[in-house]
Amino acid sequence: MQSITNSQLFQEIHQQPEIIQNLITHSQNSIKALVEEIHSREIRHIYIAARGTSDNAGRYAQYLLGAHNQMVVSLATSSLFTIYNQPPNLSDSLVLGISQSGKSPDIVSVVAEGKKQGALTAAITNNPHSDLGKAAEFILNLQAGDELSLAATKTYTAQLTTLAILSAMLDGAQQYQQDLRALPSKIERIFDDETHVKNLAERYRYMSHCVIIARGFNYASAFEFSLKMKELTYTLAIPYSSADFLHGPVALVDRGFPVFVIAPDGKMVHEAQLLIDKVRQRHAEVIMFSNQYSLLEMADQPITLPTGLPEWLSPIPAIVPAQLFAMYLAHTRDFDVDNPRGLNKVTETW
Amino acid sequence: MQSITNSQLFQEIHQQPEIIQNLITHSQNSIKALVEEIHSREIRHIYIAARGTSDNAGRYAQYLLGAHNQMVVSLATSSLFTIYNQPPNLSDSLVLGISQSGKSPDIVSVVAEGKKQGALTAAITNNPHSDLGKAAEFILNLQAGDELSLAATKTYTAQLTTLAILSAMLDGAQQYQQDLRALPSKIERIFDDETHVKNLAERYRYMSHCVIIARGFNYASAFEFSLKMKELTYTLAIPYSSADFLHGPVALVDRGFPVFVIAPDGKMVHEAQLLIDKVRQRHAEVIMFSNQYSLLEMADQPITLPTGLPEWLSPIPAIVPAQLFAMYLAHTRDFDVDNPRGLNKVTETW
């Protein structure tokens, strides 16, 4: 078996504190220019085009820019642009493309159509010279260095951090800026528990399926963890908000059914408690990612998140042990973590 | 084993042509009043609050009202209203609650907040005297009769039909009204093939998981079929757009992996062909719901949809054989189709 520490994936996961530190220090000017344009045009609607991991960053934006900036954030229906040629009217919106590579034709099409309609356009990308970068008026460069592993990790947390800085600057409150500065050191601390996550992954070697539940700011975390589990470990992982899960899918749960829950301290703690009570009555196996003692205590398997960050920033550290878990689970199954079957780094869809 | 034809579910599935005929005949006036208000306020943004099956009707609205009416349609992030108390600014939107029972507190909260902010509000519900009905200015009554089976079927197609009438009236084109009138007889014809669907379900008795793929207007169909499979048969069914599926989850597919595809004739045929080619290279089992000969021919197991309807209306007939499939699969597994484990008819979430 290849050495896991030599894999691109391992290295890219561990680069995250540094990349986030860099973004917090060096991306302020380009984000500020976009913020000024949003304010001067009095924009209240944001239309986000993204796929895969980047789409999960879009989910974070829905909650964060909704809660802190009163924006109505929609995730794009790309086929209206690329296949039906019947796009909605975006003229009063910010059209925001999010793509690591900046190369997916459907994402480029949505941004280009937005510009044609006179909308404000922007791109969050790791490749400012890509077609997406060329299509958008404003570029927020992730500056994450090349991402060589097929499963996106460092570009995801860089996308979330960029959105967090954007939200903080749109609002203008000093508190948010201060919260952001604590982020890199909190992420660094997650690696102190890496051996625990590595050992725990063994227990799930023969798990074929699971659900992953979170809500609110961390709804994105459920989707992104689920995508890593599918890409890296070929486990059928289904993401849900706790509310949606109770509207039907809870029927799936029987004895030993694995239920992963991501619930850092904040307004979702009570909701998570109710959910865990419900699935434990059905004898589910609960794996809990949290920094909240009362929640960790209810779990069969607790994974501890760092304390001392507000809930709105918690999705950034919360995904890191999930990335580690998926990586070690793939490794214990003897899968190649850098080259999952059937995937290419740039997926071109229309 | 109970007789399946005596189940509420069987009867409610078979009531659909009549309920849809009734809506087309009798819902015009209430929908017209809402349409006039949308026009007079020049509304271009619609914010939909819904859960479970009703949320899938919301997905249909995203595509249909986007493509035919240039509306930007967002699906609500309810927790911003109910848990964070930090709602987005909806003042220039139509806030539309969709709920069979009209009782889910989170849906009611979103509509009530919309009204408080001065937004136009409306409800699509089978219970106009519910809290949701009371919160909204305009009520579109599904008139579907009581839905007694826990899995929603007739209220789903009634919701889609209501949205289709709304879209047609917003646009005003006579062609759309004419298309709508063909709908009930097309759905009636699906039951001619019911024995085929019943027999086919046997083959999947021991299937533990599958993916269900569709895109565009039928993206909603993938989600709704997937929800029926989870509720009724406890199968881990994951819905995807073909584009999203290729951005990672395709890694799941190996020999015999069941891939259900819903692709009626229209602009998605080419996309479906590419997808099937890709999964067949990996020796997937393809079950195809279509009325397009070239697609049915590519499948291991074809399920034929009625011809002669335009693509924008196709999600309404397309879900009916899927409902039948889930019902017969549950029956062949000896599950109680009217009372899936762990579910209540009204799910109260906040």
Side-chain angles (χ1 to χ4, degrees):
Chain A
M1 217 187 306
Q2 63 168 162
S3 159
I4 190 75
T5 54
N6 286 336
S7 68
Q8 295 291 348
L9 184 63
F10 181 94
Q11 290 172 34
E12 289 167 358
I13 289 173
H14 285 79
Q15 287 162 15
Q16 292 178 105
E18 190 188 337
I19 291 163
I20 289 167
Q21 179 65 66
N22 178 60
L23 273 175
I24 293 170
T25 315
H26 292 115
S27 68
Q28 305 276 342
N29 284 346
S30 58
I31 296 177
K32 193 175 172 205
L34 175 60
V35 164
E36 284 170 1
E37 195 68 19
I38 292 171
H39 282 318
S40 86
R41 294 209 201 179
E42 295 182 6
I43 282 172
R44 293 187 298 181
H45 294 271
I46 302 181
Y47 193 77
I48 296 182
R51 290 273 176 212
T53 289
S54 304
D55 202 32
N56 298 335
R59 270 176 240 281
Y60 175 60
Q62 279 200 297
Y63 286 84
L64 179 59
L65 298 170
H68 286 192
N69 313 105
Q70 292 72 54
M71 294 283 182
V72 179
V73 182
S74 312
L75 302 182
T77 48
S78 305
S79 63
L80 293 183
F81 299 77
T82 54
I83 296 181
Y84 294 109
N85 292 313
Q86 294 175 300
N89 183 336
L90 301 169
S91 52
D92 62 353
S93 299
L94 163 63
V95 179
L96 175 62
I98 309 179
S99 168
Q100 177 274 131
S101 71
K103 289 181 183 165
S104 194
D106 45 2
I107 307 310
V108 178
S109 293
V110 174
V111 173
E113 172 67 27
K115 196 197 268 179
K116 194 177 122 192
Q117 291 187 17
L120 177 60
T121 56
I124 296 179
T125 179
N126 205 24
N127 186 356
H129 304 295
S130 60
D131 289 348
L132 179 63
K134 287 174 198 152
E137 292 162 78
F138 290 83
I139 298 176
L140 311 186
N141 184 357
L142 296 175
Q143 309 170 54
D146 287 346
E147 189 170 59
L148 299 173
S149 187
L150 286 189
T153 54
K154 64 180 182 177
T155 55
Y156 176 67
T157 50
Q159 288 164 350
L160 297 196
T161 303
T162 301
L163 290 162
I165 299 169
L166 173 64
S167 172
M169 292 183 82
L170 274 170
D171 181 275
Q174 278 308 309
Q175 181 60 51
Y176 292 149
Q177 294 287 350
Q178 206 172 312
D179 293 341
L180 271 162
R181 281 191 288 272
L183 202 46
S185 67
K186 298 292 179 186
I187 294 176
E188 197 69 71
R189 280 181 43 207
I190 290 164
F191 301 118
D192 299 344
D193 277 342
E194 188 165 346
T195 308
H196 170 64
V197 175
K198 180 180 178 176
N199 293 339
L200 185 61
E202 285 283 315
R203 178 178 171 94
Y204 302 95
R205 186 165 203 270
Y206 293 99
M207 174 179 70
S208 63
H209 58 263
C210 62
V211 295
I212 300 178
I213 295 177
R215 199 177 167 194
F217 290 122
N218 276 286
Y219 190 46
S221 309
F223 275 77
E224 178 58 12
F225 186 19
S226 167
L227 184 55
K228 291 311 103 167
M229 290 287 271
K230 281 179 275 203
E231 289 178 321
L232 291 168
T233 76
Y234 318 137
T235 305
L236 272 154
I238 317 189
Y240 284 107
S241 89
S242 36
D244 286 328
F245 189 64
L246 297 177
H247 280 264
V250 67
L252 292 168
V253 176
D254 54 7
R255 183 173 293 276
F257 190 101
V259 177
F260 291 77
V261 183
I262 304 175
D265 201 11
K267 294 236 169 122
M268 286 299 165
V269 169
H270 179 63
E271 171 98 0
Q273 283 165 339
L274 295 177
L275 186 273
I276 298 170
D277 273 340
K278 181 122 188 169
V279 298
R280 283 188 66 102
Q281 280 165 26
R282 305 171 69 114
H283 309 285
E285 158 118 349
V286 177
I287 306 97
M288 169 58 73
F289 293 68
S290 187
N291 48 13
Q292 229 281 340
Y293 184 70
S294 73
L295 289 178
L296 291 168
E297 208 182 29
M298 293 173 84
D300 297 283
Q301 300 294 338
I303 293 178
T304 307
L305 297 173
T307 55
L309 273 181
E311 187 185 357
W312 69 279
L313 281 176
S314 68
I316 304 172
I319 199 61
V320 178
Q323 295 166 340
L324 291 171
F325 184 91
M327 178 185 73
Y328 283 114
L329 182 57
H331 189 62
T332 196
R333 292 177 179 184
D334 203 12
F335 297 154
D336 180 346
V337 298
D338 284 335
N339 295 291
R341 64 188 186 201
L343 298 185
N344 302 309
K345 185 66 189 174
V346 179
T347 309
E348 295 199 342
T349 49
W350 280 268
Chain B
M1 218 187 306
Q2 63 169 163
S3 159
I4 189 76
T5 54
N6 286 337
S7 68
Q8 294 292 348
L9 184 63
F10 181 94
Q11 291 172 32
E12 289 167 0
I13 289 173
H14 286 78
Q15 288 163 13
Q16 294 178 101
E18 190 189 335
I19 291 164
I20 289 167
Q21 179 65 66
N22 177 62
L23 273 176
I24 293 170
T25 315
H26 292 115
S27 69
Q28 306 277 342
N29 285 345
S30 59
I31 296 178
K32 194 174 170 203
L34 176 60
V35 165
E36 283 169 2
E37 195 69 18
I38 292 171
H39 283 319
S40 87
R41 293 209 202 179
E42 297 182 6
I43 281 172
R44 295 187 295 182
H45 294 271
I46 302 182
Y47 194 77
I48 295 183
R51 290 269 177 216
T53 290
S54 304
D55 202 33
N56 298 334
R59 269 176 240 281
Y60 175 62
Q62 279 200 297
Y63 287 84
L64 178 59
L65 298 171
H68 286 191
N69 313 104
Q70 292 73 56
M71 294 282 183
V72 179
V73 182
S74 313
L75 302 183
T77 46
S78 306
S79 62
L80 293 183
F81 299 76
T82 53
I83 296 181
Y84 294 110
N85 293 314
Q86 295 176 300
N89 182 336
L90 300 169
S91 52
D92 62 353
S93 300
L94 162 63
V95 179
L96 176 61
I98 309 180
S99 169
Q100 177 274 131
S101 70
K103 289 181 184 165
S104 194
D106 44 3
I107 307 309
V108 178
S109 293
V110 174
V111 173
E113 172 66 27
K115 195 196 266 177
K116 194 176 124 193
Q117 291 187 15
L120 177 60
T121 56
I124 296 179
T125 179
N126 205 25
N127 186 357
H129 304 295
S130 60
D131 288 347
L132 178 62
K134 287 175 199 151
E137 293 161 78
F138 289 83
I139 298 176
L140 310 186
N141 183 356
L142 297 174
Q143 307 170 51
D146 288 347
E147 190 170 57
L148 299 173
S149 186
L150 287 188
T153 54
K154 63 180 183 178
T155 54
Y156 176 66
T157 50
Q159 287 165 350
L160 297 196
T161 303
T162 300
L163 290 163
I165 300 170
L166 174 63
S167 171
M169 293 184 81
L170 274 170
D171 179 276
Q174 278 306 310
Q175 181 60 50
Y176 292 149
Q177 293 288 349
Q178 207 171 309
D179 293 341
L180 272 161
R181 281 192 288 272
L183 201 48
S185 67
K186 298 291 179 188
I187 294 175
E188 196 69 68
R189 281 182 45 206
I190 291 164
F191 301 119
D192 299 345
D193 278 341
E194 187 165 345
T195 308
H196 170 64
V197 175
K198 180 180 178 176
N199 293 340
L200 186 61
E202 285 283 313
R203 177 178 172 95
Y204 301 96
R205 187 166 204 269
Y206 293 100
M207 174 177 71
S208 63
H209 58 263
C210 62
V211 294
I212 302 178
I213 296 178
R215 199 176 167 197
F217 290 123
N218 276 285
Y219 190 46
S221 308
F223 276 77
E224 178 57 11
F225 185 19
S226 166
L227 184 55
K228 291 310 102 167
M229 291 286 272
K230 281 179 275 203
E231 289 177 323
L232 290 169
T233 76
Y234 319 137
T235 306
L236 271 156
I238 317 188
Y240 284 109
S241 90
S242 35
D244 286 328
F245 189 64
L246 297 177
H247 280 264
V250 67
L252 292 168
V253 177
D254 55 8
R255 183 173 293 277
F257 190 100
V259 178
F260 291 76
V261 183
I262 304 175
D265 201 11
K267 294 238 169 120
M268 286 298 165
V269 170
H270 179 63
E271 171 98 0
Q273 284 166 338
L274 295 177
L275 185 273
I276 298 169
D277 273 341
K278 181 122 187 171
V279 298
R280 283 186 66 102
Q281 281 166 24
R282 305 171 69 113
H283 309 283
E285 157 119 347
V286 177
I287 306 97
M288 169 59 73
F289 292 69
S290 186
N291 47 13
Q292 230 281 340
Y293 185 71
S294 73
L295 289 177
L296 291 168
E297 209 181 27
M298 292 173 84
D300 297 282
Q301 301 294 338
I303 293 178
T304 307
L305 297 173
T307 55
L309 273 182
E311 187 185 355
W312 69 278
L313 281 176
S314 68
I316 304 172
I319 199 63
V320 178
Q323 295 166 341
L324 291 172
F325 184 92
M327 178 185 72
Y328 284 114
L329 181 58
H331 189 61
T332 197
R333 292 177 178 182
D334 203 11
F335 297 155
D336 180 347
V337 299
D338 285 335
N339 296 291
R341 65 187 186 204
L343 298 185
N344 302 309
K345 185 64 189 173
V346 178
T347 309
E348 296 201 341
T349 48
W350 281 265

